[in-house]
Amino acid sequence: MSVSTSAIDVGELDCLPPPEHPLFALPARISPHRARLERLILDWADAFELLETPRQRERLAGTRLGELVARAFPFVRADRLEPLAGWFTWAFVIDDWYDGPGGAATHGHERALAQVLAALPVDGCHTGEYDAGLVRQLAAVWRLLAAPQSVSWRLRFIDDMAGFMESFAYEAINRRSRHVPKVLPYAQLRRQSGGITPCLRLLEYAAGLEVPGVIQRSDPFRRMFDHTADVVVWVNDVLSLRKELAIGEVSNGVLAVAAERRCDLQTAIDAVYRRVAEDIAAFHCAERELTDMCADWRGLADADRRAVRVCVEGMKSWMRGNLDWSLRSERYVQADTVRLCTSPRLLSAE
């Protein structure tokens, strides 16, 4: 399936949600640690030499990545800032790596996947050295992230990271063949390729709390988790549309909707925001079910209930915070083609 964008004046597209959209009813919060997070992100990039040019460093600073973390984790503990900043630095650089030197081919991807997973041992203990800069940086982040977390949390996070990495190969195939996928397969892949699932796992880390496994596996919690992920990635698809058209990207939900419905891009954008509104309504429905379930579930400690409340509020912060950040970040405000990573050796070490 394909969609033509040759006659599109992207400057005329209205990519903002309508004023009455339920996104704006979600609470807008921000951590007081935003400035420190911005500094830590640049420190991580500098320490592991992830950026090659001054323009790339300017691009990372203009991304306002620390602001995203501050909005998505408004309750983050001061002693958890450095690992969070490190993980988001890694995630954005590797995302650009696959938009750049790793974006057109799948050769060597299995090796890259194996390297990344090797940097995430379940016990958090590393026994070897890593040649590729992105793998070394991830290993350093993981040592900090894994230390205070349970084995169950680590396993969930590692599985989400595997999904994140695996999705890059499928996007590369679509990009190589200029194939815009249908909406259903795209939506399932996008939840993984957006990297949002490990981000949502980090809500527990940021708060120093863990949601019990029995709650994690419950239907209401899992629905809330998935709806949150979908809201974040679909809003991101709209707000990154200009940038992605500029670099020739085909894996975008707006393009998928436009191709499947045979409609213009503005109509597709409006349809995406209706879909997002439905996801938010379903999230609130599942939230009420989760509240009733927890109230009737004996054996939950006060810390367990607090963890659930913080995680639920964190999901709301992610949905709203992603919107507010995207409207300020140079990553989406400026539709240029500068990527944070251009060196094939940063991941392949060859």
Side-chain angles (χ1 to χ4, degrees):
M1 187 177 297
S2 63
V3 59
S4 173
T5 59
S6 58
I8 296 170
D9 182 356
V10 295
E12 296 179 357
L13 293 174
D14 182 2
C15 293
L16 296 177
E20 71 279 3
H21 197 280
L23 275 167
F24 294 114
L26 295 169
R29 308 184 183 101
I30 189 166
S31 165
H33 300 300
R34 178 179 63 82
R36 185 181 170 197
L37 284 161
E38 299 286 13
R39 291 193 299 272
L40 286 169
I41 284 159
L42 291 175
D43 288 347
W44 275 104
D46 291 341
F48 287 85
E49 300 180 334
L50 301 183
L51 308 175
E52 298 171 285
T53 68
R55 182 66 188 96
Q56 288 174 330
R57 199 173 190 278
E58 290 174 11
R59 184 64 167 167
L60 179 59
T63 296
R64 297 176 179 263
L65 192 46
E67 180 176 333
L68 172 61
V69 180
R71 290 185 180 279
F73 305 89
F75 49 78
V76 59
R77 288 171 30 170
D79 62 337
R80 306 266 167 126
L81 296 173
E82 184 176 356
L84 275 182
W87 190 85
F88 277 88
T89 304
W90 176 85
F92 272 64
V93 172
I94 200 169
D95 186 70
D96 273 16
W97 193 89
Y98 274 100
D99 277 347
T106 58
H107 176 71
H109 177 71
E110 287 299 321
R111 181 174 181 273
L113 172 61
Q115 288 183 101
V116 167
L117 293 181
L120 302 171
V122 175
D123 63 3
C125 299
H126 296 271
T127 58
E129 296 296 326
Y130 306 96
D131 294 327
L134 271 171
V135 182
R136 285 190 289 107
Q137 194 252 347
L138 178 61
V141 171
W142 182 241
R143 278 191 289 268
L144 299 174
L145 286 177
Q149 302 303 109
S150 69
V151 172
S152 296
W153 183 91
R154 296 174 195 173
L155 288 170
R156 285 191 288 269
F157 187 84
I158 292 168
D159 184 61
D160 287 331
M161 286 287 285
F164 182 37
M165 285 297 299
E166 288 166 1
S167 66
F168 285 127
Y170 294 92
E171 288 196 330
I173 293 169
N174 288 337
R175 189 179 295 116
R176 186 174 59 195
S177 61
R178 307 299 303 158
H179 171 69
V180 178
K182 293 183 178 179
V183 172
L184 177 59
Y186 173 78
Q188 295 299 306
L189 181 64
R190 186 68 174 104
R191 196 181 290 163
Q192 299 176 65
S193 69
I196 183 59
T197 53
C199 290
L200 295 178
R201 300 294 180 200
L202 289 170
L203 289 168
E204 297 166 272
Y205 173 83
L209 299 164
E210 288 194 25
V211 175
V214 290
I215 302 296
Q216 295 266 3
R217 301 181 193 97
S218 70
D219 289 343
F221 189 92
R222 293 176 66 162
R223 290 202 305 274
M224 292 171 68
F225 191 93
D226 287 345
H227 287 306
T228 300
D230 289 345
V231 167
V232 171
V233 297
W234 282 87
V235 169
N236 177 267
D237 277 2
V238 177
L239 298 178
S240 66
L241 181 62
R242 292 188 180 96
K243 182 201 81 167
E244 296 197 336
L245 288 174
I247 65 175
E249 183 58 77
V250 294
S251 290
N252 181 288
V254 177
L255 300 182
V257 170
E260 188 164 297
R261 298 190 179 189
R262 301 182 185 278
C263 64
D264 60 71
L265 288 183
Q266 187 61 61
T267 301
I269 289 171
D270 297 340
V272 168
Y273 277 128
R274 287 194 296 273
R275 178 190 181 108
V276 167
E278 292 169 359
D279 274 317
I280 294 173
F283 173 93
H284 288 309
C285 179
E287 180 185 8
R288 291 189 291 271
E289 292 180 20
L290 182 68
T291 300
D292 290 343
M293 186 185 77
C294 289
D296 193 52
W297 206 323
R298 306 298 172 86
L300 292 178
D302 289 343
D304 297 332
R305 298 182 187 280
R306 187 165 66 253
V308 172
R309 289 195 299 271
V310 168
C311 200
V312 169
E313 291 306 308
M315 292 181 196
K316 295 175 185 177
S317 293
W318 253 109
M319 289 187 282
R320 176 60 188 269
N322 171 66
L323 170 67
D324 292 340
W325 164 74
S326 297
L327 297 177
R328 292 165 51 83
S329 173
E330 287 183 13
R331 188 174 177 88
Y332 306 121
V333 173
Q334 298 180 5
D336 64 37
T337 58
V338 175
R339 299 184 179 99
L340 297 178
C341 176
T342 56
S343 172
R345 293 189 300 275
L346 205 54
L347 187 58
S348 65
E350 292 179 352

